[in-house]
Structures are given as C-alpha cells and as structure tokens.
Amino acid sequence: MRHGKRDTLPSAGRFLLTGSANLMTLPLVADSLAGRMETLALYPFSQSEIHHQTTCWLDAVFAGNIPVAAEPLLGEALTEAVLCGGYPEALTRTNPRRRQTWHQQYLDALIQRDVQEIANIDKLGQLPLIWASNRLKRVLKSPKLQFVDSGLLASLRGLTSDTLKRDRSLFGGLLETFVYAELLKHTTWAEADYQILYYRDADQYEVDFVVENRAGELIGVEVKASATLTEKDLRGLKRLAVLAGESLQMGIILYDGTEAMPLGEKLWAVPLSSVWGTYPT
C-alpha cells in the first residue's frame, strides 16, 4: 500500500498505456544506472486506500477466498466514486465542476510540458485523441488501451452524474475503466505477479479482464453496471472456462449488488465493492 503526501505536479507515470505502442519513452542517458535505481509507478489512490482496507483482491481470489464488501457502494454512490476517480487533488474538490476543471488542467499540463520534455513527441495536438479512442484490434488474451483513472476519463468525455442519469449506457465503459484501475493498483502490492489481459474471440465471445499469474492460472472478470444479471452475462466466462480448462481458477461477474452468489462451477456473481473488501471470516 502507498501512503503519505503525493506531489501535485503532472507525472507521466500516472498513466499506463498497454499495448504494443509506447508513447512515452524516456530519453537516453549515458549511464544506465543498472542496479542503482528502482522505477516506481505512481498511480492515483485506490478505493482500498480511500476506505482504509489492506486486502489484496487478486491474491484472495486466486486463493479461492472472495473478499467481503465491507463498505458497499451502490447506485448513485458507486457512480460518484467512478466520477471522482483517485487523484488526491481531485478528491478534495467536492464540486463536480471544480473537479472537472482540475482534471482538464492536469491533462493540459501533462501534454504541454511533461510529454514534450520526456518524449519529444510530434503532433501533440493529436495525443488526447489517441487516449480518448479505443479502436485497437481486440484479440485473444491481448492487452488493450486503458486509462488508469475513471475520473480523468469522465472529465475528458464530459460525463457527469446528470449525463449518466439521462443515458445509463454511457456508464458501462466508464465502470470498466474504474475496475481496471483498481485491479492494476492491486498488482502493485500483491504477493504474486499478475498480468491483466482481455479476451475476445472470432465468435464475439469476450471477457472484460483475464488475470494471469506466473503459473499460468487464470481468473476471468466481467463488469456489469447493474444489480440484476441474466444468462447472457455468463456467455463469455463460460466460453473462457471451456478453453482454459483447469487453468481457470474462477470466473467472476462484478455487479452493482450486495450478495455473492454462485452461478455454476467456478462461476460467481460478486459485489463490485468486494474489490476493496476484507478477508472473509
């Protein structure tokens, strides 16, 4: 877990771009500093940190212990958490408009100063378009482009609580980003090493996240922005279970509810708030 004061200056390390292209390449230095330096990725606060929980969701699930949602966020409360994101400076601004202003200023400073100094990238005006779009080809167990902060993404897209009330379909992608960021942050304090991937096959079966450990064991994670589930919600996880066989440890649907429910062999519906929950007693 990471505690203490955080800098307020823009930092490229607060973004993670997964995929084959690395837009932010550090400039070459004469000395590699091998063995004399350690690189730490500084992410926004996780919900576990915000709610003062120390459970690693990934370690627990791979061990077969689904955490209990100690402080459930449901409905509008979950929407608000997603819109806020995890940047400490944004979290101190309770007014949504002020929070959006901070996000936009942060992004402007990142593009105009940090990215230009670090990478000397041409066509900086196109960079927000690269981050905002997600048209990468989706392939089996392939990484994909993701934001590490749902609040920043919401501000960039102009999404507010009122917007999401008028069109709930906009919330699904935003919630997926929120969950991705939470899982990513958990990898930084997990006991084991994990890789977060994405599954989609030629028959259009897909799973939002496939997490793999060093032993090749997998868990599948689907994200649903509703309190009710249907058989259709299981189709991707069931296909993954057939292909993965014994490698699949568990398939989980994270949903906007309060109860953990078995849905079949190795398949569970789990409250989304379990991600920052506590170990079951």
Side-chain angles (χ1 to χ4, degrees):
M1 304 289 287
R2 304 170 308 287
H3 300 281
K5 183 177 180 181
R6 296 184 174 211
D7 66 274
T8 58
L9 296 177
S11 170
R14 295 181 188 266
F15 284 95
L16 180 73
L17 295 178
T18 59
S20 60
N22 183 1
L23 296 179
M24 300 178 188
T25 303
L26 291 175
L28 297 176
V29 294
D31 192 333
S32 70
L33 301 178
R36 290 177 286 141
M37 65 172 286
E38 180 180 4
T39 301
L40 300 176
L42 180 61
Y43 297 120
F45 282 133
S46 69
Q47 291 298 309
S48 293
E49 291 171 310
I50 293 171
H51 293 280
H52 307 290
Q53 300 293 339
T54 59
T55 303
C56 179
W57 193 84
L58 293 173
D59 286 339
V61 171
F62 269 94
N65 299 317
I66 299 173
V68 176
E71 300 183 54
L73 292 178
L74 303 171
E76 292 184 4
L78 176 60
T79 300
E80 181 64 15
V82 172
L83 290 173
C84 285
Y87 284 99
E89 296 86 347
L91 289 171
T92 63
R93 291 159 170 78
T94 57
N95 182 285
R97 179 57 184 160
R98 289 196 62 214
R99 193 165 59 233
Q100 284 192 333
T101 299
W102 184 89
H103 280 137
Q104 188 58 58
Q105 290 177 349
Y106 174 85
L107 187 61
D108 290 344
L110 179 70
I111 294 172
Q112 294 173 11
R113 192 188 67 184
D114 283 17
V115 172
Q116 191 169 26
E117 290 180 358
I118 293 173
N120 193 26
I121 297 175
D122 293 331
K123 301 180 180 178
L124 288 179
Q126 297 181 14
L127 197 52
L129 298 179
I130 295 174
W131 283 342
S133 63
N134 185 15
R135 299 183 179 179
L136 300 181
K137 183 179 180 182
R138 299 175 180 179
V139 296
L140 174 65
K141 287 181 60 180
S142 173
K144 67 175 178 179
L145 187 65
Q146 284 279 13
F147 267 70
V148 297
D149 189 77
S150 57
L152 184 63
L153 178 59
S155 294
L156 186 61
R157 296 181 60 191
L159 299 179
T160 65
S161 58
D162 289 338
T163 302
L164 297 177
K165 286 178 182 178
R166 291 193 299 268
D167 186 354
R168 193 64 177 175
S169 65
L170 298 173
F171 187 56
L174 196 61
L175 184 62
E176 181 183 323
T177 294
F178 175 79
V179 172
Y180 170 79
E182 292 301 306
L183 297 181
L184 177 67
K185 294 163 193 173
H186 279 236
T187 66
T188 66
W189 70 77
E191 292 294 328
D193 293 324
Y194 302 106
Q195 185 177 15
I196 304 174
L197 303 164
Y198 168 76
Y199 172 81
R200 187 177 186 180
D201 62 25
D203 296 323
Q204 305 305 305
Y205 287 86
E206 60 183 306
V207 176
D208 292 329
F209 306 112
V210 178
V211 186
E212 183 175 21
N213 64 16
R214 285 285 183 90
E217 297 172 330
L218 308 173
I219 63 169
V221 180
E222 273 284 286
V223 181
K224 297 299 176 185
S226 66
T228 58
L229 301 175
T230 66
E231 181 64 26
K232 184 179 179 181
D233 296 326
L234 289 170
R235 65 191 303 268
L237 289 173
K238 286 184 174 180
R239 171 62 68 92
L240 179 64
V242 171
L243 294 177
E246 293 300 318
S247 296
L248 185 69
Q249 305 303 296
M250 197 177 299
I252 291 177
I253 296 180
L254 292 173
Y255 78 113
D256 188 8
T258 59
E259 300 293 330
M261 302 176 294
L263 300 175
E265 186 179 2
K266 297 183 180 180
L267 299 178
W268 287 81
V270 176
L272 199 146
S273 296
S274 73
V275 177
W276 52 95
T278 60
Y279 288 111
T281 57

